[in-house]
Amino acid sequence: MKLSPSLLFATLTLSAFTTPASAADSTSNNAASDTEALYQTHCAACHHPQRLGGLGPALLPESLGRIRPKQAQEVILHGRAATQMPAFADRITDNQASQLAAYLFQPAAVTPQWTDEDIRASHIIHFPKSGLGDKPVFDADLMNLFIVVESGDHHATLLDGDAFKPIHRFKTRYALHGGPKFSPDGRYVYFASRDGWISQFDIYNLKTVAEIRVGLNTRNLALSADGKWVMVANYLPQNLVLLNADRLSPLKTFPVSNREQGSRVSAVYTAPQRNSFIAAMKDIRELWEIRYDQPAFPVRKITTEDYLDDFFFDQDYRHLIGASRSGESGQVIDLESGATIATLNLPGMPHLGSGISWETEQGPLMMTPHLKEGALSIINMKDWSLVKTLPTLGPGFFTRSHDGSPYIWVDVFFGPNKDKLHVIDKETLEIIATLAPEPGKTAAHVEFTKDGRFALVSLWEDNGALIVYDALTLKEVTRLPMSKPSGKYNVYNKTHYVRGTSH
Ligand code: DHE
C-alpha cells in the first residue's frame, strides 16, 4: 500500500512522540491509518488529500449533506450515475469500502474554514482597468466569439465563431466547472473553478485581470444582467458570496441555513427579468431569491416540496423546473407566487441546466434527459402534461438547441454509446439522425453559433477535438484539436439568453 510523504511523516512523528499504546489502541490506530492510506491511494487525486474537494466534491461530514454512510459505500463500490465518479468494486473489497465510507463521516482534524478575511486576502488584481485599452486587440465579430473550456490541461480557448480559428489560448485555474458568464457587452468573461477561484478575463485585451478565492468547494457563479454583480454558490463553506463584477472585490457573504441546519447551495442563476439571483439549496427544502436592484440585496426564501439538486428555468424565468436526484418526480415552482404548481412525472434530471424549452404550434415544450436511463421527457409547458417519452441510446447530459435551428441535439454521455449524438426534429419530436463523430470516443455538449447555423461539439478526450457541424445538413465542417474540451459558450447566445442555448 502506497503512503503519501505527508502521511508517512505524520505516522513517523506520531510514533516518535506518543506514549506506548495498548494492543487494542494500536490495532485501531493501524486500521485508521490503513483507511487513510486507502483514501490517499484511491480518492485524494480527485477529492483533495484533506478531503476539501477538487475535481470531485469535498468529502467531509458538513459537505456530505443528505448522504448516509451506507449510501456512500454504495457510491464508492458502484460509482454515481451522471457524474465522473467511477466504480471501485474491482479495486477494493466491500469491507474496505465500508471503512472508507465511515472515514468520510469523521470530522477533519482541523475544521476547514474560509472566512471573509480569507476571501479578502486572496484577491489579486493582475491588471487595473486604467492600464488597459478599450478596443479589442484582434479583429472578429465580438458577438460571435466562443470560449471553449479545455479540461484536459486546464486551459481555455477564445475562438472566432465565423472563421472557426482560435484567437488565443490561455491557462485557467484548476478544474473549471459550470458555464462561464459574459458581461453584457461581451468584454469580460468570468470563470469558477471547483476549488473556489473566480477569475475575470478581459477578452478585448486577452488577459486575466482579477482573481479571488471565495470558497473551498464552489458550484457555479451567476452574473447580474446589468453586469455589475457576481454571485457565487458554494458547497464549502455553506454560503453564497457576492462580488463586485468590476475586478471582483468582495461585498457580502450570505451564510445558508434554515432554523435547524446549514445547507450547501446546489447552484445560483440570474433571472434577468426579475433583477434577481435564484439559488437552490441542497440540504434544506428552500429556494432563495436575492434582489440585486436594491442596495441591501434582500433575500426572499421560498419553501419547496422537495430538495432541488438539478433545475432550469422557462424562457421568461417565471417558472423553475427542478428535481432531486433521489426523487421520482420533478416540481414546477412559480417564482411569482412561490407555489409549487405542478408535479412532473420525471425520474430525475442528470445535470443542472440539462433541460431546454422551445416554441411549437402546440405551445412551448420542454425536454430533459433522464438521470439513469436512455430516455428524454417532452413536456407541454402550458399545462405541464407529458407529451412524449423518447427512448435514446443511453442517459445523456446536455440537450441544446437554438431559435435559428429546427433541431435539438442530445448527447449520450454514458455507457457503450457515449460516442453518439441524437438530432431531434423540434416539430415531429422524432430522432432524425444519430451521429458518431469518432467511434468509441465520448461526444458531448453542443453549442450553436450566434445565428444557429453551426453546431459545435466536444470530442471529450485528452487528445480530443472541437468538431463543427453544419446544423442543417449535419455534415462536419472542420475539427480543431483540443485537450479534453468540455463546455463551449457563445457570447451572443449567452448574453441574449437565446432559447435552447447555455444560459
Ligand atoms: Fe456540471 C454546469 C453541477 C457533473 C460538466 N454543472 C454545471 C453547473 C452546475 C453543475 C451547478 C453550473 C451551471 C451554470 O452555471 O451554468 N455537474 C454538476 C453536478 O452536480 C454534477 C452532476 C456532479 C458534480 O461533479 O458536481 C456535475 N458536470 C459534471 C460532469 O461530470 C461534467 C460532465 C464534467 C465536468 O467538467 O465535471 C460536467 N457542468 C459541466 C458543463 C457545464 C456544467 C460543461 C456547463 C454547461 C453549460 O452549457 O452551461
Side-chain angles (χ1 to χ4, degrees):
M1 199 162 295
K2 208 172 94 203
L3 278 182
S4 73
S6 60
L7 192 70
L8 198 58
F9 176 74
T11 316
L12 288 173
T13 318
L14 266 180
S15 55
F17 293 104
T18 47
T19 47
S22 70
D25 280 351
S26 95
T27 312
S28 71
N29 283 345
N30 287 345
S33 76
D34 282 355
T35 313
E36 161 87 46
L38 264 180
Y39 177 86
Q40 297 300 335
T41 306
H42 296 293
C43 322
C46 289
H47 294 278
H48 188 271
Q50 276 84 46
R51 297 187 275 151
L52 299 181
L55 276 179
L59 296 176
L60 292 160
E62 43 283 72
S63 59
L64 287 165
R66 288 150 37 208
I67 294 196
R68 300 284 155 258
K70 192 73 200 156
Q71 290 163 285
Q73 183 183 341
E74 285 299 299
V75 173
I76 293 167
L77 286 171
H78 306 299
R80 184 183 266 286
T83 71
Q84 306 291 310
M85 174 69 191
F88 284 86
D90 57 344
R91 275 159 279 179
I92 61 174
T93 63
D94 283 9
N95 194 28
Q96 287 174 318
S98 155
Q99 283 166 11
L100 261 176
Y103 169 72
L104 305 183
F105 286 82
Q106 301 297 316
V110 179
T111 309
Q113 307 272 347
W114 198 253
T115 64
D116 287 356
E117 192 41 49
D118 294 319
I119 297 177
R120 270 195 297 278
S122 71
H123 190 201
I124 312 166
I125 297 188
H126 296 289
F127 294 95
K129 216 171 168 179
S130 54
L132 295 171
D134 281 337
K135 296 268 179 299
V137 297
F138 55 89
D139 187 23
D141 174 356
L142 298 176
M143 281 289 136
N144 200 24
L145 298 173
F146 283 85
I147 287 284
V148 186
V149 171
E150 295 185 59
S151 60
D153 61 357
H154 312 284
H155 277 67
T157 290
L158 179 70
L159 185 82
D160 179 335
D162 293 304
F164 301 121
K165 293 249 160 29
I167 294 170
H168 181 63
R169 188 169 192 268
F170 55 99
K171 201 166 165 40
T172 66
R173 287 280 167 181
Y174 176 77
L176 295 185
H177 177 233
K181 304 287 148 57
F182 296 102
S183 59
D185 60 2
R187 172 165 176 175
Y188 297 107
V189 57
Y190 299 84
F191 299 97
S193 74
R194 285 194 186 256
D195 59 359
W197 281 98
I198 306 299
S199 310
Q200 180 186 13
F201 183 82
D202 181 343
I203 291 178
Y204 288 8
N205 289 289
L206 306 178
K207 286 185 169 29
T208 299
V209 292
E211 291 183 289
I212 189 162
R213 191 172 189 194
V214 294
L216 297 170
N217 195 208
T218 288
R219 298 304 290 158
N220 78 324
L221 69 83
L223 179 71
S224 59
D226 58 11
K228 289 185 180 164
W229 316 109
V230 171
M231 186 67 99
V232 187
N234 282 329
Y235 268 8
L236 193 68
Q238 298 175 333
N239 63 19
L240 287 147
V241 179
L242 181 68
L243 308 171
N244 189 322
D246 182 15
R247 296 300 189 269
L248 304 178
S249 48
L251 251 130
K252 194 171 171 156
T253 299
F254 300 79
V256 174
S257 66
N258 61 13
R259 285 203 191 115
E260 284 95 44
Q261 65 170 116
S263 174
R264 298 165 292 169
V265 184
S266 298
V268 61
Y269 280 92
T270 300
Q273 296 88 336
R274 304 177 64 80
N275 288 319
S276 64
F277 295 114
I278 310 278
M281 305 311 166
K282 199 139 180 114
D283 307 307
I284 57 178
R285 292 185 179 89
E286 280 183 14
L287 186 64
W288 288 18
E289 176 166 34
I290 303 171
R291 295 286 295 264
Y292 56 72
D293 58 347
Q294 297 180 16
F297 296 92
V299 182
R300 169 187 174 216
K301 298 180 185 177
I302 299 170
T303 304
T304 56
E305 289 181 6
D306 198 356
Y307 302 103
L308 289 168
D309 292 317
D310 299 308
F311 56 96
F312 71 106
F313 299 88
D314 59 358
Q315 188 58 18
D316 54 10
Y317 284 79
R318 170 73 192 256
H319 298 105
L320 177 147
I321 301 104
S324 78
R325 285 196 189 139
S326 52
E328 282 303 307
S329 61
Q331 343 167 34
V332 181
I333 297 160
D334 180 342
L335 292 172
E336 203 52 42
S337 66
T340 300
I341 57 157
T343 303
L344 305 177
N345 182 14
L346 200 67
M349 294 178 186
H351 191 258
L352 268 288
S354 58
I356 56 157
S357 63
W358 71 103
E359 280 300 328
T360 67
E361 280 172 6
Q362 43 178 324
L365 299 183
M366 62 162 258
M367 174 186 280
T368 175
H370 293 188
L371 180 63
K372 292 177 188 155
E373 57 183 359
L376 297 156
S377 284
I378 303 173
I379 289 159
N380 186 325
M381 298 174 90
K382 264 199 208 143
D383 58 5
W384 305 104
S385 59
L386 180 70
V387 176
K388 183 170 186 173
T389 303
L390 191 63
T392 63
L393 286 173
F397 233 104
F398 301 101
T399 49
R400 287 287 179 262
S401 188
H402 188 287
D403 276 343
S405 170
Y407 305 132
I408 297 163
W409 294 55
V410 188
D411 52 35
V412 180
F413 204 94
F414 295 99
N417 293 306
K418 62 181 186 174
D419 54 353
K420 309 274 190 319
L421 295 158
H422 295 303
V423 182
I424 298 158
D425 186 298
K426 280 178 176 172
E427 283 298 332
T428 64
L429 311 181
E430 297 293 345
I431 294 176
I432 57 132
T434 296
L435 310 175
E438 182 91 30
K441 307 271 171 73
T442 306
H445 193 274
V446 177
E447 187 51 280
F448 289 81
T449 46
K450 177 175 97 170
D451 55 5
R453 274 290 285 122
F454 297 94
L456 280 60
V457 176
S458 292
L459 201 57
W460 201 296
E461 304 283 340
D462 281 333
N463 289 318
L466 182 85
I467 307 179
V468 181
Y469 282 93
D470 182 311
L472 279 178
T473 65
L474 311 184
K475 295 267 182 301
E476 185 176 324
V477 174
T478 186
R479 65 172 69 189
L480 310 172
M482 289 203 184
S483 171
K484 210 177 198 180
S486 53
K488 59 209 71 65
Y489 310 93
N490 178 274
V491 173
Y492 181 88
N493 293 345
K494 274 190 91 87
T495 53
H496 291 74
Y497 294 84
V498 173
R499 207 190 320 248
T501 65
S502 160
H503 285 187

